[in-house]
Amino acid sequence: MAGWTVAPTDFVNAQEAAPQVVVAKPLVRDVTDRDEFIGRFRAAEQVDIRSRVGGYLQSIAFTDGQLVKEGDELFKVDQRPFVTALSQAKASLAAANAGLTYAQAQFDRVNALVKSGSQTVATLDDRRRELDSAQANLQGSQASVDRAELDMTYSRIVAPLSGRIDRHMISVGNLVTADQTVLTSIVMLDPIDFYFDIDERRLLSYAETARKNGSVLQSGGGGLKVSVKLGDRDGTTYNGTLDFAENQVDAATGTLRARARFANPDFVLQPGLFGRVELEGSNSYKAILIPDEAISSDQDERVVFVVGKDNVVSTKAIRPGPKIDGYRVVRSGLDGSESLVVKGVVRVRPGVKVDPKEITLPPENEDPVESAPLTAVNAE
């Protein structure tokens, strides 16, 4: 009977290649915690432009939105009524001068006659009264001239400070009411202020730092350095100094409003812009820093993957803290000697053997593992 002959076949299980990962040791260095608040920029100085005299607007000497310097002419009110008033005041002054000259001559003449006995003392008293009245008239006339000249000066409205001007609120030919009609406004842009609210807990820490610097938070801000980032994509940081805080905590919110001042020579920062300000929130201490990419979640814990002996991965629970220089501070769980998986975290799990590629983290985390790309390993 013929039978089937079966050749033995060796079945070989292909062993999956170890996943490639990028590993690095945490950074260990002295750092200072930084607290973050939100706030808005405001002009360091702002003024509404009004006319001190009434009349019809004659001219506008600026372009809406331009930068102006202190003393630049902005508006002019029709000066003809003020020219007439000044001429009338000067005429009254001339008449008062003539009256004083005549009264002085009369007094001198009667005074001489009284000494010789040809005139009575009562007549001399009358001439003295007339002289005093003429002097008072002269002073009043001079005051009228000064007032007319002042009104003449006020009819030319100039910028009280340097900054960026708003649009003109009324057009040429409109009636301007003295001290009431708002013609435009000017905001100072350099320097510029940033206002934000500090909560009670952190307020006490900042106040202590200010005292150590020989100052107080309300006056001078203790010289605390701050930085602000705007809402734009490039994340540019602007550096300034805390220089003022209000004198009492708001009972409704439990916060204290503080002010930081920034140089703004290029006028990039504008009043009303929203920003995030950072302040030093602690004294210097030694911290362990890791990139956020190295942190994973395990239920309600934050964990990192540690590459140990024989390149086997295990997990360690950590307590993360604030972010400094692009890295996350680890409050507890690491001692800084571990080799952590910083790229390729999704490829590993506890107990898996990996093919590690070690790098050194840069001092500031812009993209520390970008220069160490992973190559996918295909199993045959």
Side-chain angles (χ1 to χ4, degrees):
M1 180 177 178
W4 294 93
T5 301
V6 180
T9 304
D10 294 329
F11 294 96
V12 179
N13 293 326
Q15 184 178 4
E16 184 179 355
Q20 289 186 335
V21 294
V22 176
V23 300
K25 292 186 180 298
L27 289 176
V28 180
R29 69 165 186 256
D30 291 334
V31 300
T32 301
D33 286 346
R34 297 183 69 84
D35 296 326
E36 185 177 273
F37 305 93
I38 60 174
R40 290 190 181 275
F41 284 98
R42 293 185 189 175
E45 302 290 345
Q46 178 176 350
V47 61
D48 290 333
I49 304 300
R50 292 179 171 87
S51 175
R52 298 189 180 186
V53 295
Y56 288 90
L57 191 62
Q58 180 177 341
S59 63
I60 300 173
F62 65 89
T63 302
D64 291 352
Q66 79 173 67
L67 291 171
V68 297
K69 295 181 179 179
E70 182 179 350
D72 287 352
E73 180 176 317
L74 304 178
F75 300 92
K76 185 182 288 185
V77 177
D78 187 0
Q79 293 183 329
R80 288 173 295 181
F82 305 110
V83 171
T84 301
L86 179 59
S87 298
Q88 184 177 2
K90 287 182 176 180
S92 298
L93 178 62
N97 262 314
L100 177 61
T101 301
Y102 176 76
Q104 184 68 54
Q106 288 291 91
F107 175 80
D108 293 340
R109 185 179 301 111
V110 172
N111 188 35
L113 293 174
V114 168
K115 291 180 180 179
S116 64
S118 301
Q119 275 291 359
T120 63
V121 175
T123 303
L124 179 63
D125 291 340
D126 290 339
R127 298 299 174 267
R128 181 178 287 109
R129 176 180 56 78
E130 292 172 356
L131 177 61
D132 292 341
S133 178
Q135 289 175 336
N137 287 336
L138 179 64
Q139 292 175 354
S141 298
Q142 182 62 57
S144 296
V145 171
D146 294 342
R147 177 64 190 184
E149 290 178 342
L150 192 60
D151 288 345
M152 188 77 171
T153 301
Y154 287 158
S155 66
R156 177 178 173 268
I157 304 165
V158 300
L161 54 84
S162 299
R164 190 173 298 280
I165 198 167
D166 197 5
R167 66 181 178 86
H168 60 278
M169 301 300 182
I170 66 171
S171 301
V172 172
N174 281 287
L175 178 64
V176 176
T177 303
D179 301 323
Q180 294 185 23
T181 306
V182 177
L183 304 177
T184 188
S185 63
I186 300 175
V187 293
M188 179 185 291
L189 297 179
D190 184 24
I192 192 168
D193 293 334
F194 186 85
Y195 286 86
F196 58 99
D197 296 329
I198 302 173
D199 60 83
E200 292 184 36
R201 178 179 60 84
R202 286 179 283 190
L203 167 63
L204 298 176
S205 175
Y206 297 141
E208 181 180 358
T209 302
R211 287 193 295 271
K212 290 180 179 179
N213 292 340
S215 180
V216 293
L217 200 61
Q218 282 75 13
S219 177
L224 298 180
K225 302 299 181 182
V226 303
S227 61
V228 164
K229 289 185 179 180
L230 304 181
D232 55 352
R233 294 181 178 178
D234 61 8
T236 305
T237 299
Y238 302 90
N239 298 316
T241 305
L242 193 71
D243 73 333
F244 167 77
E246 293 184 347
N247 59 3
Q248 58 182 342
V249 175
D250 189 325
T253 63
T255 60
L256 183 75
R257 180 149 296 181
R259 181 184 73 194
R261 179 154 290 185
F262 294 79
N264 190 31
D266 298 328
F267 310 123
V268 174
L269 305 175
Q270 297 291 319
L273 280 178
F274 167 87
R276 296 182 179 273
V277 62
E278 288 187 350
L279 288 82
E280 293 183 357
S282 72
N283 295 323
S284 178
Y285 66 96
K286 192 171 294 295
I288 297 172
L289 307 176
I290 64 174
D292 278 337
E293 294 84 357
I295 303 175
S296 299
S297 297
D298 183 7
Q299 295 183 357
D300 60 344
E301 288 186 325
R302 295 290 184 269
V303 298
V304 293
F305 292 96
V306 179
V307 178
K309 294 181 179 180
D310 301 325
N311 297 332
V312 175
V313 174
S314 62
T315 59
K316 274 193 174 184
I318 64 169
R319 183 167 67 90
K323 205 167 185 178
I324 297 177
D325 293 336
Y327 291 107
R328 184 68 58 183
V329 174
V330 178
R331 296 296 195 195
S332 63
L334 299 177
D335 59 19
S337 64
E338 300 87 349
S339 293
L340 307 179
V341 178
V342 296
K343 190 170 185 181
V345 173
V346 296
R347 302 182 179 188
V348 300
R349 63 184 182 273
V352 170
K353 189 173 183 178
V354 296
D355 179 14
K357 179 178 180 180
E358 188 167 357
I359 65 168
T360 300
L361 297 176
E364 293 189 5
N365 181 18
E366 296 179 354
D367 196 349
V369 296
E370 183 65 26
S371 60
L374 293 178
T375 302
V377 178
N378 295 322
E380 294 295 329

